[in-house]
Coordinates of all heavy atoms in Angstrom, one line a residue:
L59 N 98.6 171.8 102.8 CA 97.5 171.7 101.9 C 97.3 172.9 101.0 O 96.4 173.0 100.1 CB 96.2 171.5 102.7 CG 96.1 170.2 103.5 CD1 94.8 170.1 104.3 CD2 96.3 169.0 102.6
M67 N 88.4 173.7 103.9 CA 88.0 172.3 104.2 C 88.6 171.4 103.1 O 88.4 171.8 101.9 CB 86.5 172.1 104.3 CG 86.1 170.6 104.5 SD 84.3 170.5 104.7 CE 84.1 168.7 104.5
A68 N 89.3 170.4 103.5 CA 89.9 169.5 102.5 C 89.4 168.1 102.8 O 89.3 167.7 103.9 CB 91.4 169.5 102.5
I69 N 88.9 167.4 101.7 CA 88.5 166.0 101.9 C 89.7 165.1 101.4 O 90.0 165.2 100.2 CB 87.2 165.7 101.1 CG1 86.1 166.6 101.6 CG2 86.8 164.3 101.2 CD1 84.8 166.5 100.8
I70 N 90.2 164.3 102.2 CA 91.4 163.5 101.9 C 91.0 162.0 102.0 O 90.3 161.6 103.0 CB 92.5 163.8 102.9 CG1 92.9 165.3 102.9 CG2 93.7 163.0 102.6 CD1 93.9 165.7 103.9
T71 N 91.4 161.3 101.1 CA 91.1 159.8 101.1 C 92.4 159.0 100.6 O 93.3 159.6 100.1 CB 90.0 159.5 100.1 OG1 89.6 158.1 100.3 CG2 90.3 159.7 98.7
L72 N 92.3 157.7 100.9 CA 93.4 156.9 100.5 C 93.3 156.4 99.1 O 92.2 156.0 98.7 CB 93.5 155.6 101.4 CG 94.7 154.7 101.3 CD1 96.0 155.4 101.7 CD2 94.4 153.5 102.1
Q73 N 94.3 156.6 98.3 CA 94.3 156.2 96.8 C 95.5 155.4 96.5 O 96.6 155.6 97.1 CB 94.1 157.5 96.0 CG 92.8 158.1 96.0 CD 92.7 159.3 95.0 OE1 93.6 160.1 94.9 NE2 91.5 159.3 94.3
K84 N 98.6 156.0 99.0 CA 99.0 157.3 99.6 C 97.7 158.1 99.8 O 96.7 157.9 99.2 CB 99.9 158.1 98.7 CG 99.3 158.5 97.4 CD 100.3 159.3 96.5 CE 99.7 159.8 95.2 NZ 100.6 160.6 94.5
M85 N 97.8 159.1 100.7 CA 96.7 160.0 101.1 C 96.7 161.1 100.0 O 97.7 161.8 99.8 CB 96.9 160.5 102.5 CG 96.9 159.5 103.6 SD 95.4 158.5 103.6 CE 94.3 159.7 104.2
S86 N 95.5 161.4 99.5 CA 95.4 162.4 98.4 C 94.2 163.3 98.7 O 93.2 162.8 99.2 CB 95.2 161.8 97.0 OG 96.4 161.0 96.8
V87 N 94.3 164.6 98.4 CA 93.2 165.5 98.5 C 92.3 165.3 97.3 O 92.7 165.5 96.1 CB 93.7 167.0 98.6 CG1 92.5 168.0 98.6 CG2 94.6 167.2 99.8
V88 N 91.0 165.0 97.5 CA 90.1 164.7 96.4 C 89.1 165.8 96.2 O 88.4 165.9 95.2 CB 89.4 163.4 96.6 CG1 90.4 162.2 96.5 CG2 88.6 163.3 97.9
D89 N 89.0 166.7 97.2 CA 88.1 167.9 97.0 C 88.5 169.0 98.0 O 89.1 168.7 99.1 CB 86.6 167.5 97.3 CG 85.7 168.5 96.7 OD1 86.2 169.5 96.2 OD2 84.4 168.3 96.9
R90 N 88.3 170.3 97.6 CA 88.6 171.4 98.5 C 87.4 172.3 98.5 O 86.8 172.7 97.5 CB 89.8 172.1 97.9 CG 91.1 171.3 97.8 CD 92.1 171.9 96.9 NE 92.6 173.1 97.4 CZ 93.7 173.2 98.2 NH1 94.4 172.1 98.4 NH2 94.1 174.4 98.7
I91 N 87.1 172.8 99.7 CA 86.1 173.8 99.9 C 86.7 175.0 100.6 O 87.1 174.9 101.8 CB 84.9 173.3 100.7 CG1 84.3 172.0 100.1 CG2 83.8 174.3 100.9 CD1 83.2 171.4 100.9
R103 N 78.8 168.1 98.7 CA 80.2 167.8 98.2 C 80.7 166.5 98.8 O 81.4 165.8 98.1 CB 81.1 169.0 98.5 CG 80.7 170.3 97.9 CD 81.2 170.4 96.4 NE 82.6 170.6 96.4 CZ 83.2 171.7 96.4 NH1 82.5 172.9 96.6 NH2 84.5 171.8 96.3
C104 N 80.4 166.3 100.0 CA 80.9 165.1 100.7 C 80.3 163.9 100.0 O 80.9 162.8 99.8 CB 80.6 165.1 102.2 SG 81.7 166.2 103.1
I106 N 79.2 163.6 97.0 CA 79.8 163.4 95.7 C 81.1 162.6 95.8 O 81.4 161.7 95.0 CB 79.9 164.7 95.0 CG1 78.6 165.3 94.6 CG2 80.8 164.6 93.7 CD1 78.7 166.7 94.0
V107 N 81.9 163.0 96.8 CA 83.2 162.4 97.0 C 83.0 160.9 97.4 O 83.7 160.0 96.9 CB 84.0 163.1 98.0 CG1 85.2 162.3 98.4 CG2 84.4 164.5 97.5
M108 N 82.0 160.7 98.2 CA 81.7 159.3 98.7 C 81.3 158.4 97.5 O 81.8 157.3 97.4 CB 80.6 159.3 99.7 CG 81.0 160.0 101.1 SD 82.3 159.0 101.9 CE 82.4 160.0 103.4
R110 N 82.0 158.9 94.4 CA 83.2 158.8 93.5 C 84.2 157.9 93.9 O 84.8 157.1 93.2 CB 83.7 160.2 93.2 CG 84.8 160.2 92.1 CD 85.4 161.6 92.0 NE 84.4 162.6 91.8 CZ 84.5 163.9 92.0 NH1 85.7 164.4 92.5 NH2 83.5 164.8 91.8
H111 N 84.5 157.9 95.2 CA 85.7 157.1 95.8 C 85.2 156.0 96.7 O 86.1 155.2 97.2 CB 86.6 158.1 96.5 CG 87.2 159.1 95.6 ND1 88.2 158.9 94.7 CD2 86.9 160.5 95.5 CE1 88.5 160.1 94.1 NE2 87.7 161.0 94.6
G112 N 84.0 155.9 97.0 CA 83.5 154.9 98.0 C 83.8 153.5 97.6 O 84.3 152.6 98.4
L115 N 87.4 152.7 98.0 CA 87.8 152.5 99.4 C 87.3 151.2 100.0 O 87.9 150.5 100.7 CB 87.1 153.7 100.3 CG 87.8 155.1 100.1 CD1 87.0 156.1 100.9 CD2 89.2 155.0 100.6

Side-chain angles (χ1 to χ4, degrees):
L59 298 178
M67 175 179 169
I69 301 177
I70 303 173
T71 187
L72 186 65
Q73 288 187 316
K84 66 177 182 178
M85 302 298 292
S86 302
V87 177
V88 294
D89 197 1
R90 302 164 64 94
I91 301 176
R103 296 278 290 273
C104 287
I106 293 175
V107 171
M108 292 293 183
R110 186 185 306 161
H111 300 282
L115 290 174

